[in-house]
Amino acid sequence: MNGEKQELRIKRVFSRKRPRDVLRTHLTPVNKRGGGSQQCPSNRRLSSIMADVKAVEYCSDSEDLFGGYDSILEDSSLLAKLDDVEQNERQSDLQSAAHTDAVDQQDFTSLRPSNEGNQTCEDLLTDSILDDLRNEPLEDLPASQLQFQEQVNENVKRSRLQEGNKTSTPDRTERERNIEDKTKRQSKVRRSMTDHLKRTMLCNAAAPSNVSRTVVLKEAVVSEEISVAMQAMETVSAETTDLGPFFGLPTKVKDLMYKLRGIKSLYNWQETCLNLGCVQQRKNLIYSLPTSGGKTLVAEILILRELLCRKKDCLFILPYISLVQEKVRGLAGFGLELDFMVEEYAGSKGKFPPVKRRSKSSLYIATIEKAHSLVNSLIETNRMENLGLVVVDELHMLGDGSRGAFIEMTLAKVLYMSKTTQIIGMSATLGNIRDLQTFLRAENYTNDFRPVQLKEYVKLKDTIYEVDPKEEECFKFSRALNFKYSSGMQRIDPDHIIALVTEVIPTHSCLVFCPTKKNCENVVGMICKYLKEEFLQHRKTEKTVLLRELRDSGNGSVCPVLRKTVPYGLAYHHSGLTTEERKLIEEAYSSGVLCLLTCTSTLAAGINLPARRVILRSPYVATDFLKRSQYKQMVGRAGRAGIDSVGESILILQDKDRDMAKTLVCAPMESCYSNLMHDDGKGILSLLLSLIGLNITTSLDHMREFLCGTLLYVQQKQLCVERSLWEVVQQGVDLLKEKNLITVTSDEHGQTLQVTKLGKATYKGSVDLTYSDILYKDLSKGLEGLLLNSYLHLVYLVTPYDMILQCKPDWMVYFRQFTLLSAAEQKMSAALGVPESFVARKAAGQTVKKDSNMVVVSRMYLALVLFSLLKETNLWSVADRFQLSRGFVQALLSSSSAFCSCVLHFTEELEEFWPFKALLTELMRRLSYCVKAELIPLMEVAGVMESRAKQLYNAGYKTLNHLANADPAVLSDSIEKLYRKQANLIVASAKMMYLCVPDAPE
């Protein structure tokens, strides 16, 4: 009975301090619908036990756990005994202290404080009371309280033993010891009887005492139950994905969606998708919807759930650098509010392997190529178990050449190396989605939802037809164009583009897709000629500001076409623009300052810029007829959610294209096929090399096992017609051996495959196998006579090989720039194979009997472009000097920066190239931004371009730290035309980047 009473008392104590909310979070089962939850019956006992354990665990030593608890004082006899003993002891101690003080005062008056007697009396109380209590019968106390009595008896015994061991000393020595004893007692804080009992009870509650064999056995059982409960709680806590009502996430996430994105609620299909059984069970999923259906939001919620609930890292793969930067900027605010890291892997950015963080999860946002390198580094460092989720945007790009091969390699490695990493793919509707499901072992969710209804039309001559697959001809008459054209207009605009665009602008927006970059500029110029003067007055002030910003971005230069068209609210958009120009134009279009853009197909695949009407100038991209996926991507931009009730697309056709157009607009979607065999099997060779280098496979048998998990294996009947997949693998291994990238050794157990140093450098540097041996020779030759007093030699070594064929040298410009080089630079150029005499003869138009290596000659020409950029950092003047488009010059700069990163990783794996490490690190930083050194820290922040960096620097924000600690409101007021939302994004990106620095505080 005593044991039962004690258990009841202990539970009464614990019930006052039980951390219900914390335990409820850990012991609540997953609710698949994201709503409320009910505790599982099997967990009720766990809850009871864990509440008792946690009550002690969460209380500090100073906390009054027994406040208000008086059950042991309900026995009035015990209370009377305590009172009597305490009163007797007080009187006895007062008399003794008075006598002692009188003696001490005679000899040691100067050493004793005036109030010492009172303090001594107080200090002695507890021990002497306990001494008297030791003889009292306390057998009727609860079992756990008997430990209290045993401790009292043990203390008294120990005290007597010490007193018995004391030796007699001279009188003065005994007095000194008395003074020391009193001094020690003065430094102690008197503990009352109640405090002492409370402390003992707390210890007993936390660590049950050994009183009897029965009690010991009972407590052993309870300890076992607690151990099982702790393990069960840890298991439930690890598996649960339910932290709140917003699809398993806290309400704070929902509030942030509204605060940072303006999203109040989700579409029905999004809720359905998030509540799918396969999603709740963390199975792989491919979901397909039309463009602008809201696919990305679902992926972001799943990412947040993985980061916050399971505390795992996530990888978000996007196709373009601009999209990566936009997503980094958009999710940095969530990272700061919800305490996770957002790291950019694009261009030259990204650390391999990523920084391992103790207390925070990381979201890696990467381009396709960088994602592959990132996964390789995680495999190499045995950190794949930390990667909880991989999200792939535009999964249908698996069928896109070499980039598709990188996606397939990345996903195949994730599937093979980690059984716990979930894969989510967002895709356009595909004709062979089942192949992708088999490859990824994934479920599929498809919906045709669009936030705005899309109506598709085609135009033949002066008649508009509606696209209707139910019709025999696919086209149904809609209306005739009613726009009066003069003979001059008819000659200039035979396709009636002016009539089509003026039906919607300037009140609404319009996109005109053109087959070439030059056609974009011609069409936008033509439209301006026939627009009315009232277009000039529409938002005139904002257009004036836009022109000024364009001029600032070009260091005083502005494109003549844009100078003419922007006042009318029109502009063009293609890769010939600089990154900063494109960003300014996109922002102006999104805000309504510009109402029409003429653009190439790349805009449809990049940033989301919707329009009321989309016009396809021609069913061609350059000279190639449109693919259905391209067509759907373009027309998918029609209709702005929340603004338009309907979106329209109009495809302009010629009679000769009518039959092909029927297939284009009405046929099923194309199929997606593996690209590992693309370009003479480059993809499969790269895959084989990395598998051997990462020790994923060391034999042909292991390699076959891995390849069974690829899309190529799923589609081998269609793709491996001339030779089997295993023949392809064997030939690939032989070719890698021939290139000295791997070694093959044979023994009684079979063949063993190992990577060479060159092979390891090749796959770790993500160097194209076609160029790895050339790069090695160039670097080796460079070490023999490396020019260190100029950047030219280093720049030549990092000029991308794949850019050479995109530019034909202008020999007069070449010769003029060559003559400006120093003698040492010309000597270096001659040593590489480009002497001045050769360039001079080519410039003079003379026939050269034996040309130098044209790859080297063309590469040196591009190196001169980059060298000029590094010297003066003015992209416009360099583009003009070399007669190149500013867009190409910037693309060259960006590619060189990325390739410099590849070369750096390549050299790090080869000891003989150790001098390059320090040299290339600084060069990569210079190439990444190509601005004055003081602006580079600001340019590293996502979304900050050169002109903005200059504004920030001039306003006093000169470092990343300055920007990270800035007040967005003050920043917005300090910088012209920097809106509050933009300021918030910049500051959030700066803070996140500051936190991502390896030695920054977490």
Side-chain angles (χ1 to χ4, degrees):
M1 290 296 293
N2 288 339
E4 293 177 359
K5 289 181 181 179
Q6 178 63 11
E7 184 177 351
L8 289 173
R9 287 173 179 174
I10 293 297
K11 284 188 174 292
R12 284 180 58 192
V13 174
F14 287 148
S15 66
R16 300 174 184 269
K17 298 289 183 178
R18 184 175 297 166
R20 293 183 177 87
D21 294 337
V22 176
L23 286 171
R24 184 178 297 117
T25 297
H26 291 293
L27 294 173
T28 300
V30 177
N31 188 319
K32 295 182 180 180
R33 297 296 296 180
S37 58
Q38 183 179 357
Q39 193 174 20
C40 178
S42 63
N43 286 331
R44 289 172 183 163
R45 176 59 179 158
L46 297 183
S47 298
S48 176
I49 295 173
M50 294 315 303
D52 293 347
V53 175
K54 289 295 183 180
V56 174
E57 182 181 336
Y58 288 149
C59 290
S60 64
D61 292 340
S62 61
E63 185 175 359
D64 188 0
L65 181 64
F66 299 91
Y69 178 59
D70 58 359
S71 63
I72 69 168
L73 298 182
E74 291 174 358
D75 185 351
S76 59
S77 62
L78 177 60
L79 183 60
K81 291 175 185 177
L82 291 174
D83 289 339
D84 291 340
V85 172
E86 188 169 0
Q87 292 297 329
N88 292 337
E89 193 63 34
R90 283 181 181 276
Q91 293 178 3
S92 174
D93 287 342
L94 285 171
Q95 293 174 1
S96 176
H99 175 73
T100 303
D101 290 344
V103 176
D104 292 345
Q105 189 173 5
Q106 295 176 5
D107 299 324
F108 305 104
T109 302
S110 61
L111 299 178
R112 178 178 59 79
S114 60
N115 60 349
E116 184 176 301
N118 294 335
Q119 291 183 357
T120 303
C121 176
E122 294 289 303
D123 290 339
L124 288 170
L125 279 178
T126 299
D127 293 336
S128 57
I129 289 173
L130 298 181
D131 193 33
D132 277 3
L133 280 176
R134 72 185 183 274
N135 296 320
E136 296 292 337
L138 298 175
E139 291 83 51
D140 58 339
L141 281 176
S144 62
Q145 293 304 319
L146 291 177
Q147 186 181 17
F148 175 72
Q149 182 184 16
E150 291 177 3
Q151 288 177 349
V152 171
N153 293 337
E154 186 66 22
N155 290 338
V156 172
K157 289 179 183 178
R158 191 180 296 110
S159 177
R160 287 178 175 175
L161 182 62
Q162 291 174 352
E163 288 175 0
N165 291 335
K166 290 179 183 176
T167 55
S168 60
T169 55
D171 187 50
R172 183 173 179 82
T173 304
E174 184 67 29
R175 290 173 181 171
E176 290 175 354
R177 188 165 61 248
N178 288 339
I179 294 173
E180 292 173 1
D181 290 343
K182 287 189 287 183
T183 304
K184 291 178 181 179
R185 287 196 297 269
Q186 292 170 23
S187 65
K188 296 178 181 178
V189 178
R190 179 189 176 277
R191 293 181 297 173
S192 68
M193 184 66 203
T194 304
D195 290 338
H196 203 115
L197 286 173
K198 286 181 179 179
R199 284 179 175 273
T200 304
M201 289 178 70
L202 179 60
C203 292
N204 291 344
S209 62
N210 291 325
V211 177
S212 65
R213 182 173 178 78
T214 303
V215 173
V216 169
L217 291 174
K218 287 182 179 179
E219 291 177 346
V221 173
V222 172
S223 297
E224 181 64 22
E225 287 184 0
I226 290 174
S227 177
V228 172
M230 288 291 288
Q231 293 176 6
M233 188 186 75
E234 290 173 359
T235 301
V236 172
S237 176
E239 293 178 353
T240 185
T241 57
D242 194 348
L243 292 185
F246 186 64
F247 303 100
L249 289 165
T251 305
K252 182 178 181 181
V253 176
K254 184 177 181 180
D255 296 338
L256 285 173
M257 284 290 178
Y258 179 67
K259 177 183 175 183
L260 301 178
R261 298 279 183 82
I263 297 173
K264 293 183 179 180
S265 61
L266 274 62
Y267 297 128
N268 290 336
W269 83 263
Q270 292 171 327
E271 295 192 9
T272 300
C273 186
L274 287 167
N275 286 314
L276 290 172
C278 61
V279 173
Q280 299 295 340
Q281 296 165 30
R282 298 192 68 257
K283 293 182 180 178
N284 297 343
L285 174 70
I286 301 170
Y287 61 101
S288 309
L289 279 97
T291 303
S292 304
K295 296 191 293 288
T296 306
L297 180 59
V298 170
E300 289 176 352
I301 291 174
L302 293 175
I303 286 171
L304 292 176
R305 197 152 74 181
E306 194 72 20
L307 290 166
L308 303 182
C309 302
R310 298 189 72 247
K311 304 295 183 183
K312 295 290 186 179
D313 298 333
C314 298
L315 171 59
F316 197 170
I317 304 175
L318 295 160
Y320 304 110
I321 293 176
S322 60
L323 294 179
V324 168
Q325 293 173 340
E326 181 188 12
K327 193 58 64 181
V328 168
R329 202 160 58 244
L331 289 175
F334 286 91
L336 293 174
E337 292 284 349
L338 301 172
D339 201 30
F340 63 85
M341 311 303 294
V342 179
E343 303 184 38
E344 179 182 344
Y345 281 77
S348 60
K349 289 187 177 180
K351 182 175 177 59
F352 303 107
V355 176
K356 191 172 184 179
R357 306 186 188 279
R358 297 184 301 274
S359 58
K360 293 184 180 182
S361 301
S362 293
L363 168 57
Y364 311 116
I365 305 180
T367 56
I368 293 169
E369 295 80 5
K370 285 286 184 177
H372 181 242
S373 298
L374 178 63
V375 168
N376 282 347
S377 70
L378 292 176
I379 293 172
E380 188 174 29
T381 53
N382 297 314
R383 287 169 55 185
M384 279 300 293
E385 71 278 0
N386 295 329
L387 187 63
L389 176 65
V390 175
V391 175
V392 184
D393 192 13
E394 311 289 356
L395 183 63
H396 53 269
M397 289 189 71
L398 274 165
D400 183 19
S402 60
R403 308 195 80 209
F406 274 114
I407 297 175
E408 184 174 351
M409 288 189 284
T410 302
L411 296 181
K413 288 174 183 175
V414 172
L415 288 166
Y416 190 82
M417 297 302 297
S418 174
K419 305 303 180 186
T420 59
T421 303
Q422 184 182 18
I423 296 175
I424 301 293
M426 295 179 279
S427 172
T429 304
L430 293 172
N432 63 338
I433 195 70
R434 288 195 177 277
D435 284 357
L436 271 63
Q437 284 183 253
T438 304
F439 163 45
L440 296 177
R441 303 160 215 165
E443 302 286 333
N444 181 43
Y445 175 80
T446 303
N447 197 300
D448 59 0
F449 170 82
R450 276 186 55 88
V452 178
Q453 181 187 3
L454 171 62
K455 292 187 176 181
E456 297 178 43
Y457 300 94
V458 297
K459 174 189 168 295
L460 277 164
K461 298 182 179 178
D462 58 355
T463 305
I464 304 292
Y465 298 89
E466 184 176 356
V467 175
D468 187 355
K470 297 177 183 178
E471 292 286 327
E472 184 178 350
E473 295 294 319
C474 284
F475 304 142
K476 181 174 66 176
F477 175 82
S478 176
R479 64 186 175 95
L481 274 179
N482 184 19
F483 192 87
K484 295 180 180 180
Y485 265 47
S486 65
S487 58
M489 285 182 65
Q490 185 67 38
R491 188 171 56 254
I492 294 175
D493 182 24
D495 294 323
H496 305 97
I497 294 175
I498 297 172
L500 295 174
V501 302
T502 51
E503 288 179 343
V504 290
I505 65 170
T507 309
H508 300 287
S509 57
C510 183
L511 292 176
V512 181
F513 285 99
C514 302
T516 65
K517 291 183 286 187
K518 188 62 177 176
N519 192 237
C520 288
E521 298 177 29
N522 292 338
V523 169
V524 75
M526 175 197 71
I527 295 173
C528 280
K529 289 181 180 179
Y530 294 96
L531 291 182
K532 298 178 181 179
E533 291 293 322
E534 62 191 51
F535 279 84
L536 295 172
Q537 303 305 318
H538 184 72
R539 305 189 69 165
K540 183 176 181 179
T541 304
E542 292 100 318
K543 289 184 286 192
T544 302
V545 173
L546 173 59
L547 276 173
R548 184 167 70 248
E549 289 179 331
L550 288 169
R551 187 175 293 106
D552 291 342
S553 72
N555 292 308
S557 301
V558 64
C559 171
V561 176
L562 292 177
R563 188 189 303 120
K564 176 184 176 183
T565 63
V566 166
Y568 286 92
L570 281 60
Y572 67 89
H573 184 289
H574 58 60
S575 60
L577 294 169
T578 65
T579 303
E580 191 158 1
E581 284 177 314
R582 284 200 299 271
K583 186 170 183 293
L584 289 170
I585 288 171
E586 289 163 1
E587 289 176 352
Y589 177 82
S590 297
S591 62
V593 176
L594 296 176
C595 59
L596 180 143
L597 296 181
T598 57
C599 49
T600 54
S601 59
T602 54
L603 183 139
I607 190 170
N608 186 20
L609 293 176
R612 171 63 176 271
R613 177 175 289 180
V614 170
I615 299 171
L616 279 67
R617 170 74 175 77
S618 166
Y620 291 88
V621 173
T623 58
D624 298 325
F625 200 81
L626 276 178
K627 297 178 182 178
R628 180 159 171 78
S629 58
Q630 292 174 314
Y631 168 77
K632 280 295 185 181
Q633 218 166 27
M634 293 179 186
V635 301
R637 297 302 183 196
R640 297 165 297 174
I643 300 176
D644 299 325
S645 58
V646 66
E648 302 171 337
S649 70
I650 302 175
L651 171 61
I652 299 175
L653 295 176
Q654 307 300 323
D655 285 332
K656 64 183 180 66
D657 299 322
R658 181 169 185 152
D659 291 337
M660 294 178 67
K662 290 178 184 178
T663 304
L664 177 66
V665 300
C666 296
M669 294 296 291
E670 299 107 337
S671 296
C672 175
Y673 292 102
S674 168
N675 270 270
L676 289 180
M677 300 291 290
H678 174 73
D679 198 7
D680 296 327
K682 278 186 181 179
I684 192 73
L685 287 174
S686 295
L687 176 60
L688 297 179
L689 178 62
S690 62
L691 290 178
I692 299 168
L694 294 167
N695 286 319
I696 296 175
T697 60
T698 56
S699 69
L700 286 174
D701 290 337
H702 290 160
M703 201 164 282
R704 289 191 181 97
E705 179 186 345
F706 180 92
L707 288 171
C708 287
T710 62
L711 181 60
L712 177 60
Y713 177 81
V714 175
Q715 299 173 333
Q716 60 179 319
K717 289 183 179 179
Q718 298 101 307
L719 302 177
C720 300
V721 178
E722 297 180 358
R723 46 187 178 156
S724 71
L725 178 58
W726 311 126
E727 289 175 336
V728 171
V729 171
Q730 184 61 62
Q731 291 174 8
V733 169
D734 293 341
L735 185 57
L736 291 175
K737 180 182 177 182
E738 184 183 323
K739 285 178 170 288
N740 194 33
L741 299 175
I742 64 169
T743 59
V744 181
T745 56
S746 301
D747 54 28
E748 64 274 11
H749 301 294
Q751 291 184 331
T752 301
L753 310 176
Q754 288 184 314
V755 71
T756 64
K757 288 185 176 181
L758 177 60
K760 187 176 182 180
T762 300
Y763 89 80
K764 291 200 73 170
S766 297
V767 176
D768 191 319
L769 297 184
T770 307
Y771 305 120
S772 61
D773 54 340
I774 300 174
L775 176 62
Y776 183 85
K777 292 175 183 177
D778 285 344
L779 291 172
S780 299
K781 190 174 182 180
L783 279 180
E784 297 173 4
L786 187 62
L787 185 65
L788 294 178
N789 63 353
S790 168
Y791 270 121
L792 182 59
H793 199 171
L794 283 175
V795 166
Y796 171 82
L797 292 174
V798 300
T799 299
Y801 295 103
D802 56 2
M803 294 286 289
I804 293 172
L805 297 178
Q806 298 182 35
C807 177
K808 291 184 66 175
D810 182 316
W811 294 107
M812 284 302 298
V813 173
Y814 203 157
F815 179 70
R816 193 179 302 117
Q817 295 303 311
F818 197 96
T819 57
L820 296 176
L821 298 177
S822 66
E825 291 167 342
Q826 290 187 8
K827 183 179 179 181
M828 179 274 296
S829 179
L832 292 174
V834 189
E836 182 182 12
S837 57
F838 173 81
V839 179
R841 288 198 299 272
K842 294 293 285 185
Q846 297 178 8
T847 302
V848 181
K849 293 182 181 180
K850 185 178 180 180
D851 284 357
S852 296
N853 186 334
M854 288 307 298
V855 172
V856 175
V857 172
S858 297
R859 196 177 182 209
M860 178 57 72
Y861 184 70
L862 295 179
L864 288 174
V865 176
L866 293 169
F867 185 54
S868 299
L869 269 174
L870 289 179
K871 287 196 296 184
E872 58 182 279
T873 72
N874 189 330
L875 189 146
W876 277 77
S877 62
V878 171
D880 184 61
R881 184 180 312 142
F882 285 86
Q883 298 297 301
L884 299 169
S885 75
R886 55 195 183 282
F888 174 82
V889 173
Q890 188 162 64
L892 173 64
L893 186 65
S894 177
S895 296
S896 300
S897 171
F899 187 60
C900 185
S901 175
C902 294
V903 175
L904 175 60
H905 292 301
F906 182 89
T907 58
E908 286 175 340
E909 299 301 322
L910 297 166
E911 294 178 2
E912 60 266 36
F913 294 144
W914 64 266
F916 284 113
K917 183 175 181 180
L919 296 172
L920 293 178
T921 300
E922 176 58 25
L923 178 62
M924 182 176 68
R925 199 161 182 253
R926 292 285 304 276
L927 288 172
S928 296
Y929 306 104
C930 197
V931 294
K932 293 181 179 179
E934 62 265 22
L935 297 180
I936 290 179
L938 300 176
M939 292 280 289
E940 289 179 334
V941 178
V944 175
M945 299 297 175
E946 183 179 0
S947 61
R948 184 71 77 200
K950 290 177 181 177
Q951 287 179 312
L952 292 169
Y953 189 87
N954 293 333
Y957 300 95
K958 300 185 178 182
T959 66
L960 180 63
N961 192 27
H962 289 163
L963 212 49
N965 289 290
D967 182 341
V970 176
L971 185 65
S972 178
D973 294 338
S974 304
I975 306 298
E976 184 181 5
K977 209 191 172 189
L978 179 62
Y979 302 117
R980 181 68 62 87
K981 182 179 179 180
Q982 294 172 316
N984 287 331
L985 291 174
I986 288 175
V987 172
S989 298
K991 286 181 178 178
M992 183 56 65
M993 188 171 179
Y994 181 77
L995 291 173
C996 286
V997 176
D999 57 353
E1002 292 190 8

